[in-house]
Amino acid sequence: MISELDSIITDLQGSWDVSEDTSTITFTRDNIDQTAYEEIVDQISDLRSIIDGRSLIFKLEETRDVFQFRLHWEPSNTVTVSTDSDQETDPEDLFNSDDAISALTQIRENRISDFDSLEDCLAGFIENELIEISVIYRLDTDHIGSAIQSEIDGSSTVRFYLQKSTFLNHIDTGDLSAIKSLFVSDGGKELFVIQDLSAPCYGSDLGFFSLTELSTTQFEDFIHLRSTFRDTISSVGRECVIDDFENIYITPDFFEFKAVNDEPFVDSVLSKISGHRLLYSIFSLSDVVRRRSDRWQIRISGKKILEQEIRLEEARSGWKIQVINSEEVDSEIPVTDEIVDAFDEVFQWAYEVRVTDRISVLRNIITLYTTTIEGLIQNIEEIHESAKSNFKFYTQESVDEFIGMQQEVSNYLLETQREFSELRRNLANSLSRDLFRVFGFLVVTWVGIFLQLEKIATVRDALSVSLVPVVFYLVLSIRAVHGLSQQFSSLEDSRDSYYRMYKRQMNEDLFKEIVNSDEDERISDQFQTDKRIYYALFGLLLLLSVYAVIDLQLIQGPISDIIQSILSETN
């Protein structure tokens, strides 16, 4: 479809007069004869098969100004007639041709409603020397952009222009919101298709191509370049408070081109927006940017405070920054390519890595150098070099702090794992020790009962009494294990709180390397397994002991029967 559209538009440009504004392309042709008429119908039919368009207007003018009509051939193939002027002269007084008389009668009686009747009407006028026929066709550039977008990568927003000059005139404004609206849509890459562009120019987020170039490897390269604009603008939003941020701000690196094949065009674009790019850079270094009518209040807080109002004004040779003081222009600073490039470099350095730290150092250096916008602009290169040097010392101090923090985290982890292991060891020891005590006590006590106490008290009573301390011991043992479990949970909570605190101060990947979460999880699983075994075993013993007492004293159940049989055999 792209190649067909390119061919049709090229054909229209070759045979029609063309004018263009920011939203509409208007094609016109005068003095239409039969051959031209057939060509026009074919061209518009082909174009309509690809994109939505408006009606094709046939303008009929009688050379003596007797009448002027417009016949609108709609995309739906219906035809409507509008009258610009008509003296209502009798057709037979105007024409000798029956076809012309019939055509004028049909128009006046509004009997032209479809394409067939339109063709019959035009056939009656088309070779008549008293009638001048011209054609007007308007095409919305949004419709062309939508048609192109549907054929290429759907994540790109497409805007179409026939001529570079129209696009350049469109950006001839000092309003930041208008610039943002022109260049940036709601999402994805921004693609401008300009028909007379000689060669493609593009960066990671912004591209300029002709229709022909949309099938090249360079366009594929543009589509697959990683977009950085959304991430960077989010970083600026976190570091700066800018009035109407969403509607006015574009990051300066948005206009960075990785491939420039039409250098004069790119130079023209960048020159048109050089003042805006400088403002965007200044905004990105500020703490707070407030809108004050047609100017901006800039505040940079560092070792000192820089606070002034500035305004972007267009000059004969480009742009200038006006510094406003008490409603008066205090100074004017011409915007040069060198200044814009220097601020671009500062922006790219500041927002590359460790953004908060670099911005903090940069603001301190700016306010130590100057407390005026003029001083900031004039000394930007020295400020940049000083900020980079100071950041090295800042980084070294941060490294020393980080190493100390890393050692502290490592020591804490070793101590915590030692405490976890100790708790698990205590639990395992308690299990074996308490089992030995319970079974040892029962064996010694019950043997004594059978051998010594039979004549003093009944065996059932003696056994029941011996089980009472066992029950108490089991309850106390379970309670002790519950205390160990609570101690383990408290230690886990403390460890997690400690992790959260240091995780905010340390790179997440590095933190994961220091913290052995698998080992933590293994120790926790082992403790929970031992605890469940302890609860299950001692719970079962407690239930059996209680049941034995009830059996011996109340219900005379199976345990009583077993004891009775043992006693009978011994006697």
Side-chain angles (χ1 to χ4, degrees):
M1 187 279 284
I2 299 293
S3 60
E4 293 176 10
L5 180 61
D6 180 32
S7 176
I8 293 170
I9 290 179
T10 301
D11 193 20
L12 289 172
Q13 286 182 283
S15 55
W16 297 57
D17 295 325
V18 183
S19 62
E20 181 182 18
D21 58 28
T22 56
S23 61
T24 308
I25 303 170
T26 302
F27 299 95
T28 58
R29 287 183 71 169
D30 297 326
N31 301 318
I32 302 303
D33 57 19
Q34 185 62 37
T35 301
Y37 165 75
E38 292 174 356
E39 180 185 33
I40 288 168
V41 170
D42 289 341
Q43 288 172 333
I44 300 304
S45 297
D46 291 342
L47 186 58
R48 283 177 172 175
S49 68
I50 298 175
I51 59 174
D52 296 329
R54 301 189 192 182
S55 60
L56 175 64
I57 302 173
F58 292 90
K59 186 177 179 181
L60 310 179
E61 295 184 77
E62 206 273 339
T63 55
R64 294 163 295 183
D65 293 328
V66 175
F67 60 79
Q68 288 186 14
F69 298 107
R70 292 173 184 258
L71 308 181
H72 301 256
W73 178 31
E74 307 289 349
S76 61
N77 266 345
T78 60
V79 177
T80 59
V81 179
S82 60
T83 303
D84 292 339
S85 63
D86 185 8
Q87 297 180 11
E88 298 187 356
T89 306
D90 191 313
E92 294 183 357
D93 293 338
L94 294 173
F95 307 115
N96 296 322
S97 167
D98 291 339
D99 290 338
I101 293 171
S102 175
L104 181 56
T105 302
Q106 288 182 62
I107 291 174
R108 286 175 171 172
E109 293 178 356
N110 199 24
R111 288 191 282 121
I112 301 175
S113 59
D114 55 27
F115 182 71
D116 291 337
S117 57
L118 172 66
E119 280 198 307
D120 292 340
C121 174
L122 293 176
F125 285 135
I126 208 160
E127 299 296 344
N128 193 310
E129 61 183 16
L130 297 176
I131 303 296
E132 292 182 356
I133 302 177
S134 57
V135 179
I136 304 170
Y137 187 68
R138 294 186 177 89
L139 192 58
D140 294 321
T141 53
D142 285 347
H143 292 167
I144 303 177
S146 297
I148 296 171
Q149 186 169 343
S150 66
E151 289 293 312
I152 61 172
D153 180 80
S155 64
S156 299
T157 301
V158 182
R159 267 72 65 87
F160 181 84
Y161 292 85
L162 273 181
Q163 300 171 329
K164 293 182 288 188
S165 58
T166 307
F167 173 76
L168 292 172
N169 290 335
H170 198 177
I171 61 176
D172 192 11
T173 174
D175 182 46
L176 295 183
S177 59
I179 294 297
K180 176 72 178 279
S181 176
L182 171 62
F183 280 101
V184 181
S185 59
D186 293 335
K189 295 174 181 282
E190 309 299 329
L191 172 61
F192 290 87
V193 178
I194 302 178
Q195 186 65 2
D196 69 346
L197 193 65
S198 59
C201 315
Y202 58 92
S204 59
D205 296 277
L206 176 64
F208 295 91
F209 291 81
S210 66
L211 277 170
T212 304
E213 298 293 339
L214 295 181
S215 58
T216 63
T217 56
Q218 287 184 302
F219 180 70
E220 289 296 321
D221 182 40
F222 167 68
I223 291 298
H224 292 107
L225 278 174
R226 179 181 174 272
S227 175
T228 59
F229 173 65
R230 311 292 166 186
D231 293 338
T232 309
I233 202 170
S234 295
S235 296
V236 175
R238 287 191 294 269
E239 300 298 329
C240 314
V241 177
I242 302 174
D243 281 354
D244 205 18
F245 178 77
E246 295 294 334
N247 294 321
I248 62 102
Y249 187 78
I250 307 175
T251 58
D253 61 348
F254 177 82
F255 300 102
E256 179 183 350
F257 290 90
K258 301 184 184 303
V260 177
N261 301 299
D262 189 338
E263 192 166 343
F265 172 71
V266 169
D267 289 343
S268 297
V269 173
L270 295 181
S271 176
K272 287 277 188 179
I273 58 174
S274 60
H276 310 83
R277 291 164 59 205
L278 179 57
L279 273 188
Y280 291 141
S281 293
I282 294 173
F283 287 1
S284 69
L285 306 181
S286 307
D287 297 271
V288 181
V289 179
R290 298 296 184 197
R291 190 168 207 154
R292 300 286 184 260
S293 184
D294 62 339
R295 52 189 183 269
W296 300 90
Q297 183 183 46
I298 306 297
R299 180 183 177 88
I300 302 176
S301 302
K303 294 296 184 182
K304 300 177 183 178
I305 301 295
L306 185 161
E307 188 166 7
Q308 281 190 308
E309 290 186 358
I310 61 175
R311 178 169 58 208
L312 180 64
E313 284 289 322
E314 191 170 7
R316 288 184 179 179
S317 57
W319 295 98
K320 59 186 178 182
I321 298 290
Q322 293 182 336
V323 180
I324 312 297
N325 185 17
S326 301
E327 302 298 326
E328 298 292 332
V329 176
D330 188 52
S331 60
E332 292 185 340
I333 307 148
V335 177
T336 64
D337 292 341
E338 292 74 22
I339 290 174
V340 174
D341 291 342
F343 269 90
D344 279 352
E345 290 180 11
V346 173
F347 174 85
Q348 290 169 7
W349 176 80
Y351 284 90
E352 183 181 17
V353 292
R354 297 188 65 177
V355 176
T356 299
D357 293 337
R358 289 191 175 190
I359 287 293
S360 177
V361 170
L362 194 53
R363 287 169 180 164
N364 286 334
I365 298 301
I366 289 172
T367 54
L368 286 173
Y369 260 84
T370 181
T371 55
T372 67
I373 294 295
E374 187 173 11
L376 168 62
I377 293 175
Q378 291 175 348
N379 295 287
I380 189 59
E381 292 182 351
E382 291 82 358
I383 289 171
H384 186 197
E385 291 303 318
S386 180
K388 288 193 290 186
S389 299
N390 278 270
F391 187 71
K392 290 180 181 178
F393 293 107
Y394 177 89
T395 302
Q396 184 59 50
E397 292 178 6
S398 298
V399 168
D400 293 339
E401 268 183 38
F402 173 75
I403 291 173
M405 181 173 62
Q406 183 177 357
Q407 186 62 42
E408 183 179 345
V409 172
S410 299
N411 292 339
Y412 176 82
L413 292 176
L414 290 173
E415 180 64 22
T416 303
Q417 288 185 354
R418 186 191 65 77
E419 292 182 27
F420 280 136
S421 298
E422 185 68 25
L423 284 174
R424 181 177 176 270
R425 195 160 43 247
N426 289 342
L427 180 62
N429 290 340
S430 295
L431 179 61
S432 58
R433 182 186 64 245
D434 292 340
L435 280 175
F436 178 79
R437 288 176 178 177
V438 168
F439 284 112
F441 177 80
L442 288 174
V443 169
V444 172
T445 301
W446 286 16
V447 169
I449 289 171
F450 279 111
L451 296 178
Q452 304 293 333
L453 297 180
E454 185 179 357
K455 297 177 180 178
I456 299 173
T458 66
V459 172
R460 281 198 299 269
D461 291 340
L463 291 177
S464 299
V465 171
S466 70
L467 287 171
V468 171
V470 172
V471 169
F472 278 109
Y473 186 80
L474 292 172
V475 170
L476 291 175
S477 298
I478 292 173
R479 181 174 176 80
V481 170
H482 181 66
L484 284 176
S485 177
Q486 287 185 317
Q487 188 177 350
F488 191 91
S489 297
S490 176
L491 193 58
E492 281 191 313
D493 291 341
S494 298
R495 180 198 62 192
D496 291 343
S497 297
Y498 193 89
Y499 283 179
R500 283 193 296 272
M501 178 183 71
Y502 277 103
K503 195 173 183 180
R504 288 193 294 267
Q505 305 176 45
M506 193 179 294
N507 179 273
E508 185 173 353
D509 293 333
L510 185 57
F511 185 81
K512 288 179 179 178
E513 291 181 13
I514 298 173
V515 174
N516 191 343
S517 57
D518 292 338
E519 180 65 17
D520 292 343
E521 187 175 347
R522 185 185 65 81
I523 293 174
S524 179
D525 289 343
Q526 288 177 343
F527 183 89
Q528 297 300 329
T529 300
D530 290 347
K531 183 181 73 172
R532 284 191 289 269
I533 293 172
Y534 195 104
Y535 279 153
L537 189 55
F538 275 66
L540 180 60
L541 289 174
L542 180 60
L543 291 174
L544 287 174
S545 298
V546 172
Y547 175 77
V549 173
I550 296 173
D551 184 289
L552 292 169
Q553 295 298 316
L554 298 176
I555 63 175
Q556 307 296 313
I559 296 178
S560 297
D561 294 340
I562 294 171
I563 292 172
Q564 188 63 42
S565 64
I566 293 173
L567 290 174
S568 298
E569 291 178 4
T570 56
N571 291 333

